[in-house]
Amino acid sequence: MNVCTLSTHPFNDQKPGTSGLRKSVPVFQQPHYLENFIQSIFNSLQDYKGQTLVLGGDGRYYNREAIQIILKMAAANGFGRIKVGQHGILSTPATSVAIRKYQTFGGIILSASHNPAGPTEDFGVKYNIDNGGPAPEKVTEAIYAQSQAIDSYKILDASDVDVDNLGESKLGEMVVEVIDSVSDYAELMESLFDFDRIHQFLTSGHFGMCFDALHAVTGPYAHRIFEQLLGAPTGTVRNGTPLEDFGGGHPDPNLVYAHDLVKIVFGEQAPDFGAASDGDGDRNMILGRRFFVNPSDSLAVLAANAKLIPGYQGGLAGIARSMPTSQAADRVAAKLGIDCYETPTGWKFFGNLMDAGRVTLCGEESFGTGSNHIREKDGLWAVLFWLNILAVRQQSVEQIVRNHWQTYGRNYYSRHDYEAVNSSRADTLMENLHKIMPTLKGKSFGRYEVEYCDDFSYTDPIDGSVSQHQGIRIGFTDGSRIVFRLSGTGTHGATLRVYLESYEPDPAYQSLDPQVALKELIALADEVAHIHELTCMAEPTVIT
Ligand code: G1P
Ligand code: ZN
C-alpha cells in the first residue's frame, strides 16, 4: 500500500475554539480541509510513531467519511494502532474513558456537540491528550501554528476499512481495532454508582423516568445502561437511534431545544424524572416532574449529596466551576471545608486541577457536569448520579432542590443568548464595555452597587499559564453578578451570552420565576451594554 504525500496550502481559519475546530460540513468538505487539520494535529505531536489513538464521533453527517480519511492518514503517519468505536460511534465521555483505560497517546473526537447536523450543518474535530481531556491551549495553539505553515499531508492509498464489525484488521502497518462503543463506559459507571439500588428503584413501580437521546450519540449508551442493565422499561429511552441529521433536531439539552421531553415532563402524565443529553453525550439536562433543575444548582446538589454515592463516599477533594456558572457550588464547598476553583469557560481548564488531585467535581452552567472519573463532562454520568441520589433519598427532584435552597440559599440564575449577531456589532458591544469598565466601580443602579468590574483572567494554579479576556464581569456588593462574553463555539456570526445571577437566602422568596427575580439585573445589563440597540434584537434567542 502506498503512502501518498499530497501538497496543500494553509487555510487561515483553522484556529480551534472553545471545543475543537467547528465549521459547517461544506467547509470541512473542501479539498484538503479536513486533511490539513488532521496533519496539523499530527505535526504538533512528538514521538507518536507506533502509538495508539482512540477515534470516534457522534455519528453526525460526514462522520463516516471523516473516520476513513483519518484512519488512512494515521496509518500513513506511522501510528501503531487505532481503537475506533463501532460504526465510528463514540461519545465524548466514552472516548475519554477509552483513552484513560487503555492509556493511549490521545484521541480524536468528531463532533460539533449540540450543533445541528446534516449536509449544510456543522461538523467538528477535537483532539484529546493522554489524560483523556481536551487539548489544553498550548496544544491547540501549536496545532493552529502547524495549520498556518502546512504544505503537505500524508495519506495511505487504500480501500475503506470495515468499522461496523468488532475486531482487528490491518491498514498498512497499522492495526485498526473496532471496539464496542458502550461497554468500557458502562463498566466504569457501574463501578461508581450503586446499580443494584438504582435497579430496585427503577423496577419498583413507584418511579418513572424518561430519557431523550435526541437522535444523537447517547442512544446506544442509554438503551444499554437504563433499559438493559438497570431494568427500566423499554421505551424509557426516546429517540435512541443516532441519525446523521439528528432527526433534523438541535440536540442541545435545554428547555428550548429538548421541547418534546419538556412537554412530557411538564404534562399531565408526567414521569418523576426526565433527562436528556446532547449530540456527543457530554451535556445533560435534569428535570423533575414539572420542575427544571438549573445546571448550576445541579452541580451544587451533586456536591452536597456526593457522600451518598459509592464512588464519592470518600469525600470530595474540591470543586471547580467555570466563571459564568452560578456561585451555588461555592456555598457547598464552603460548608464542606473544601476549595472551589473558578476557571474560564470550557472543560479544558479543569484538566490540570483534576490531574493534580485538587478537585473531584466540576461543572459549567451550560448543562455540563462531571468528575475526575474522566477528563470530559459526562451527560449520562450526571443522570446516574441523580438517579442514585433519588434512589437513596426517596424524595422527589423538586423536594431535593428546594431542600438544598433552604440550607444554602438560592442563587437565581439565567443565561440570555443572542445568536447570529453581526460580528462587528458584537465586537463593538464588548469594546464599549471594556471602555466603561473602569468607571463602573462604586456606581449605584437602583438597589445594586457595583463592587468590581473586570475582564476575567485566569492563572492556572498548576502550570501557571494565563488565559486573558475570558468575559467581562460586573459584580455587585450583594453578591449578584452580570457576565458578558462572546461564544467560542458558534459558527454563524457572533453569539453574545449574558449571564445573570442573584442570591436569595430567605426560603419565603425562593419560589420566583428566575426571569422575574432577575428582572432588574436584566434591565441593568441592557442599560450598561446597549444589548438591544447593538444586536438589533428585541429578545434573546435562547433563555436558559
Ligand atoms: C459553550 C459553553 C461552554 C462549553 C462549550 C463546549 O461554549 O458556554 O460552557 O464548555 O460550549 O460545550 P461557548 O459557546 O460559550 O464558547
Ligand atoms: Zn457536547
Side-chain angles (χ1 to χ4, degrees):
M1 258 172 276
N2 287 336
V3 173
C4 307
T5 303
L6 301 181
S7 60
T8 187
H9 296 290
F11 292 88
N12 61 14
D13 63 348
Q14 296 199 325
K15 193 178 174 65
T18 311
S19 200
L21 183 69
R22 214 175 271 188
K23 302 282 172 195
S24 69
V25 169
V27 170
F28 267 106
Q29 283 172 326
Q30 295 172 83
H32 311 313
Y33 193 89
L34 173 68
E35 291 85 346
N36 270 21
F37 190 67
I38 298 298
Q39 188 67 55
S40 301
I41 294 175
F42 295 162
N43 290 348
S44 74
L45 306 174
Q46 267 156 22
D47 303 326
Y48 61 79
K49 300 271 180 208
Q51 297 280 2
T52 301
L53 279 185
V54 177
L55 173 64
D58 62 16
R60 67 176 57 228
Y61 188 87
Y62 201 53
N63 195 65
R64 293 186 76 94
E65 291 85 338
I67 293 266
Q68 295 296 337
I69 292 170
I70 295 168
L71 286 173
K72 290 171 197 172
M73 288 187 66
N77 277 276
F79 279 91
R81 177 182 288 261
I82 302 275
K83 285 174 170 286
V84 59
Q86 191 177 19
H87 310 302
I89 297 272
L90 274 180
S91 73
T92 290
T95 309
S96 191
V97 170
I99 294 171
R100 294 171 69 77
K101 177 169 177 180
Y102 300 110
Q103 301 184 347
T104 71
F105 191 80
I108 293 177
I109 305 172
L110 306 177
S111 170
S113 189
H114 50 280
N115 292 13
T120 57
E121 301 292 350
D122 286 347
F123 190 74
V125 180
K126 304 188 277 188
Y127 182 69
N128 279 25
I129 58 173
D130 62 355
N131 73 354
E137 270 180 351
K138 61 175 189 306
V139 177
T140 55
E141 274 158 20
I143 295 171
Y144 178 56
Q146 291 291 343
S147 80
Q148 295 310 286
I150 192 166
D151 58 11
S152 68
Y153 63 85
K154 282 193 196 139
I155 187 161
L156 211 64
D157 180 16
S159 46
D160 283 359
V161 184
D162 172 14
V163 294
D164 294 320
N165 292 295
L166 300 179
E168 293 189 359
S169 60
K170 273 296 218 32
L171 183 60
E173 297 294 302
M174 187 182 84
V175 178
V176 177
E177 181 187 348
V178 180
I179 59 171
D180 182 285
S181 312
V182 180
S183 42
D184 293 324
Y185 179 81
E187 191 181 274
L188 179 58
M189 293 303 110
E190 214 165 340
S191 75
L192 295 173
F193 300 107
D194 190 342
F195 269 36
D196 288 340
R197 195 148 187 177
I198 302 174
H199 189 283
Q200 246 173 37
F201 186 57
L202 288 177
T203 51
S204 67
H206 301 301
F207 181 84
M209 77 172 271
C210 177
F211 178 84
D212 196 336
L214 299 168
H215 286 305
V217 81
T218 47
Y221 297 84
H223 279 304
R224 177 98 59 97
I225 293 172
F226 299 131
E227 294 177 352
Q228 290 169 25
L229 297 174
L230 293 171
T234 309
T236 296
V237 177
R238 293 168 44 83
N239 302 320
T241 305
L243 299 176
E244 284 202 329
D245 66 349
F246 298 147
H250 193 145
D252 201 1
N254 61 41
L255 294 174
V256 177
Y257 293 127
H259 34 76
D260 291 351
L261 175 70
V262 171
K263 227 159 120 191
I264 293 171
V265 176
F266 282 80
E268 283 298 307
Q269 306 289 319
D272 303 278
F273 183 70
S277 193
D278 72 331
D280 63 329
D282 56 0
R283 294 186 176 195
N284 74 91
M285 175 169 68
I286 302 295
L287 301 166
R289 178 180 287 147
R290 293 188 271 282
F291 189 82
F292 166 68
V293 184
N294 182 288
S296 297
D297 281 342
S298 180
L299 172 66
V301 170
L302 299 191
N305 289 278
K307 61 181 182 310
L308 305 178
I309 311 297
Y312 303 91
Q313 245 157 15
L316 305 176
I319 305 174
R321 62 162 174 84
S322 68
M323 179 273 283
T325 303
S326 99
Q327 299 160 100
D330 305 39
R331 297 180 184 278
V332 178
K335 191 153 181 186
L336 294 174
I338 56 177
D339 286 332
C340 188
Y341 296 85
E342 186 175 45
T343 59
T345 295
W347 207 261
K348 58 182 174 243
F349 294 101
F350 296 137
N352 277 351
L353 294 170
M354 289 192 275
D355 285 350
R358 299 255 192 126
V359 303
T360 308
L361 295 189
C362 306
E364 293 195 274
E365 48 65 42
S366 52
F367 298 81
T369 343
S371 87
N372 60 352
H373 67 291
I374 52 173
R375 295 294 181 271
E376 289 277 5
K377 57 192 176 232
D378 190 344
L380 290 177
W381 168 90
V383 178
L384 288 164
F385 206 126
W386 266 96
L387 283 174
N388 203 151
I389 294 172
L390 291 164
V392 174
R393 287 187 50 172
Q394 302 279 329
Q395 291 171 304
S396 72
V397 172
E398 179 168 356
Q399 278 169 333
I400 289 172
V401 175
R402 289 199 182 278
N403 222 301
H404 185 92
W405 292 338
Q406 273 168 17
T407 310
Y408 295 93
R410 176 173 184 184
N411 287 70
Y412 278 110
Y413 187 81
S414 183
R415 184 175 105 183
H416 289 195
D417 290 339
Y418 297 81
E419 294 178 349
V421 177
N422 173 294
S423 295
S424 71
R425 283 177 162 269
D427 290 341
T428 306
L429 185 147
M430 294 303 284
E431 280 157 23
N432 288 351
L433 278 173
H434 252 273
K435 278 187 210 134
I436 62 165
M437 227 163 58
T439 68
L440 286 179
K441 191 175 169 180
K443 260 198 178 167
S444 288
F445 297 88
R447 65 189 168 106
Y448 293 106
E449 185 187 333
V450 178
E451 187 177 319
Y452 64 88
C453 179
D454 60 10
D455 188 349
F456 182 60
S457 162
Y458 176 69
T459 304
D460 186 298
I462 312 303
D463 66 15
S465 60
V466 178
S467 302
Q468 288 176 315
H469 309 299
Q470 298 296 323
I472 292 181
R473 312 188 288 182
I474 306 179
F476 301 94
T477 47
D478 69 345
S480 302
R481 296 192 309 169
I482 305 175
V483 175
F484 299 87
R485 62 178 281 282
L486 297 182
S487 156
T489 59
T491 50
H492 305 287
T495 295
L496 170 69
R497 303 202 195 284
V498 184
Y499 308 83
L500 305 131
E501 174 181 3
S502 74
Y503 179 63
E504 180 52 72
D506 186 346
Y509 298 100
Q510 289 174 349
S511 294
L512 292 177
D513 174 345
Q515 302 310 314
V516 174
L518 295 164
K519 217 167 95 198
E520 284 169 64
L521 284 177
I522 293 168
L524 211 162
D526 193 47
E527 188 181 332
V528 295
H530 305 284
I531 301 168
H532 298 138
E533 185 191 324
L534 283 167
T535 61
C536 304
M537 291 165 81
E539 298 291 336
T541 326
V542 179
I543 295 180
T544 44

